[in-house]
Amino acid sequence: MRSSTRVLLAFGTGLMLAGAVAPAWAQEATLTFRFNDPDQEQMRAALDQFEKANPDIKVELERMAWKDARDQFLREAAVSTGPDVVHIAFVWAKEFGEAGAVLPLADSLEQSPPPNGLDDFIAMDLATGNDGSIYALPWTTDTWAMVYRTDLLEEAGIDKLPETWEELKDTSAKIHEATGKSGFMFPAGSSASGTLWFLANYYWWSNGEALVERKEDGSFGMDLTAADVTEAMDYFKSYLDDGEMPTSMLGVSDWADPAIIRGLVEGQNAIGIMPPNTFQAVLDAYAAAHPGEKLPFVSGPVPKGSETRATHLGGRMLAINANTENPEAAWKLVRFLAEEEIFTDYYTTQFPAQRSLLEEIEFAPEMEGYAEQLMHARSWGAYADGPAPIGAMWNAVGRGFGAALSGQRTTAEAGEEVVETVGKMLADGQ
């Protein structure tokens, strides 16, 4: 939130000479928009269009990695700084609202509602705090899927995608043995808001378990034992222990880290798991490096566990800093960013969070795995409704898995710590 308001003096020289009017004053607002995805160039182009349509508002674009975004904004908001408009995960809206970090949007929605109303937006439950206030506008939605290098699968003699977690491990091992390349490669670092949170929950959900559950009496508790957590840690640690994934991945936490993208583009690893915009970055980078060649990639659903296959219904929201000096201009920017043209002309790697716009999507062949996985995506449910902020549990699980995968703790020790830490969060918040 920099130089939030500038007052510009405009001299109407000709009119002054004619003695017709006094000097005119014009208010110009300067907003800061913090954006966390890699599509910075495209988003800048969209903001340029916004500025043309709104010459009294300038927008400075900031970029921040997702792994740092939550904690950084909460620190800034606590001392009345930070961007005017902030790009947040679905699951942060309640926490940010209840912390007083973002504005309730009731007044803005009443004065200038979205054209198709709030019912057109998915995940409004996640945008609404326990006090009934709406703290953010859902912007995009997605889920994660597996992505594969088809040429490496073929080289290893594999003619079908793995269906289960066990088959994924077997496929990864065969690829490594036959090609010398990495099989399944994922970010295994423990920094805040890292990727291991998603992998752990997909594994648990597919096996009919969950970190948080709502009990029959309405209270919240854990649906996992330390042994359950340890089992998941052992599974993902086996990729490192068996040499199918380089230990350098212990220093990578972000699913869009250049090491992940570069590894797939250069064929150093055969399998990944990521949201659609990261996969699109892989496809674009390969096409740029190999113009005219067929893309050697395919996406597929996440493996089944004992009961199902599952990922989260994810997405992004837009929120307004509670400390902004320009709430009206900030809401005008939020409304603009939710328009259809943003998704058709600029932010094309994301799916809109509006039902009316989702119906218009046609999936490219490489993206068909995402279309299939969307049918198996679930909300965070009790995680979002419970007393412990998802962001805090995310960090605790990430630290625990990171410590186990790196060998700083045994998986049994780390599993017990995760259960103890999250269990205390849930108990303290009730």
Side-chain angles (χ1 to χ4, degrees):
M1 192 170 56
R2 302 173 188 162
S3 58
S4 56
T5 302
R6 290 186 292 166
V7 182
L8 302 179
L9 178 62
F11 290 98
T13 307
L15 293 176
M16 288 181 69
L17 290 173
V21 298
W25 292 83
Q27 295 287 334
E28 181 178 285
T30 298
L31 301 174
T32 301
F33 172 39
R34 180 172 292 163
F35 178 66
N36 306 331
D37 281 331
D39 319 65
Q40 190 171 11
E41 182 179 344
Q42 294 82 356
M43 189 52 59
R44 182 63 259 174
L47 296 176
D48 290 344
Q49 290 300 311
F50 176 77
E51 290 180 345
K52 286 182 181 178
N54 300 275
D56 57 334
I57 305 174
K58 301 299 179 188
V59 185
E60 296 181 357
L61 179 63
E62 284 186 358
R63 170 86 205 294
M64 178 164 287
W66 278 106
K67 65 182 180 65
D68 301 319
R70 171 185 172 272
D71 293 354
Q72 177 64 23
F73 180 70
L74 286 175
R75 284 193 293 268
E76 292 170 330
V79 293
S80 303
T81 62
D84 299 273
V85 177
V86 61
H87 188 197
I88 66 175
F90 267 5
V91 295
W92 296 346
K94 286 186 179 183
E95 178 188 9
F96 283 16
E98 290 166 2
V102 296
L103 281 180
L105 299 180
D107 291 345
S108 299
L109 289 165
E110 181 178 354
Q111 294 167 13
S112 179
N116 294 321
L118 288 180
D119 289 345
D120 194 36
F121 291 83
I122 66 170
M124 282 306 302
D125 58 325
L126 296 179
T128 306
N130 293 330
D131 61 359
S133 297
I134 296 172
Y135 288 111
L137 191 70
W139 192 24
T140 68
T141 187
D142 61 42
T143 194
W144 288 30
M146 306 299 296
V147 302
Y148 300 89
R149 282 276 309 216
T150 53
D151 54 344
L152 292 178
L153 292 178
E154 183 177 353
E155 187 177 344
I158 297 166
D159 57 7
K160 64 184 274 292
L161 301 183
E163 282 286 316
T164 66
W165 292 107
E166 290 75 19
E167 289 182 13
L168 175 62
K169 183 68 173 66
D170 290 343
T171 298
S172 178
K174 288 178 182 175
I175 290 171
H176 181 61
E177 182 177 353
T179 69
K181 307 293 180 60
S182 296
F184 180 31
M185 196 160 88
F186 55 87
S190 62
S191 69
S193 304
T195 300
L196 288 170
W197 163 258
F198 298 107
L199 299 185
N201 279 289
Y202 299 166
Y203 187 89
W204 293 325
W205 292 347
S206 70
N207 286 300
E209 301 165 333
L211 183 67
V212 182
E213 67 170 352
R214 186 196 296 269
K215 299 179 180 178
E216 290 184 359
D217 63 2
S219 64
F220 294 86
M222 293 194 67
D223 185 37
L224 292 172
T225 65
D228 296 327
V229 178
T230 297
E231 177 189 320
M233 290 175 171
D234 285 335
Y235 175 80
F236 291 108
K237 189 172 186 291
S238 69
Y239 289 90
L240 290 158
D241 291 345
D242 295 344
E244 299 156 25
M245 186 172 86
T247 56
S248 59
M249 284 296 102
L250 291 168
V252 176
S253 297
D254 192 333
W255 51 88
D257 191 281
I260 298 292
I261 294 174
R262 186 171 59 248
L264 284 166
V265 171
E266 296 178 353
Q268 296 304 314
N269 54 289
I271 308 172
I273 183 170
M274 57 191 61
N277 64 323
T278 304
F279 185 40
Q280 187 61 54
V282 171
L283 298 176
D284 292 345
Y286 186 90
H290 305 85
E293 293 186 15
K294 182 181 178 182
L295 297 171
F297 295 98
V298 66
S299 59
V302 169
K304 289 179 184 174
S306 60
E307 297 197 12
T308 186
R309 60 175 102 239
T311 51
H312 72 290
L313 182 62
R316 293 122 166 91
M317 298 197 188
L318 295 172
I320 298 175
N321 191 329
N323 303 297
T324 183
E325 296 177 11
N326 296 288
E328 292 183 5
W331 177 245
K332 187 175 286 188
L333 175 60
V334 170
R335 284 283 315 274
F336 169 80
L337 291 171
E339 292 179 358
E340 181 176 3
E341 290 72 18
I342 296 298
F343 303 102
T344 57
D345 298 347
Y346 302 103
Y347 199 20
T348 57
T349 59
Q350 293 290 325
F351 307 136
Q354 296 164 72
R355 294 180 175 85
S356 58
L357 301 184
L358 275 172
E359 293 174 355
E360 305 296 325
I361 292 177
E362 293 183 9
F363 289 91
E366 295 83 8
M367 290 289 185
E368 288 179 354
Y370 288 90
E372 182 176 352
Q373 187 60 45
L374 271 172
M375 303 300 292
H376 300 284
R378 50 158 281 178
S379 76
W380 289 97
Y383 291 57
D385 297 334
I390 287 181
M393 294 189 290
W394 184 342
N395 290 349
V397 169
R399 286 195 302 272
F401 271 70
L405 268 61
S406 66
Q408 297 174 51
R409 298 274 194 283
T410 67
T411 54
E413 292 171 343
E416 289 180 0
E417 287 178 6
V418 167
V419 168
E420 181 179 351
T421 301
V422 176
K424 187 173 187 304
M425 288 180 185
L426 293 169
D428 289 348
Q430 299 187 75

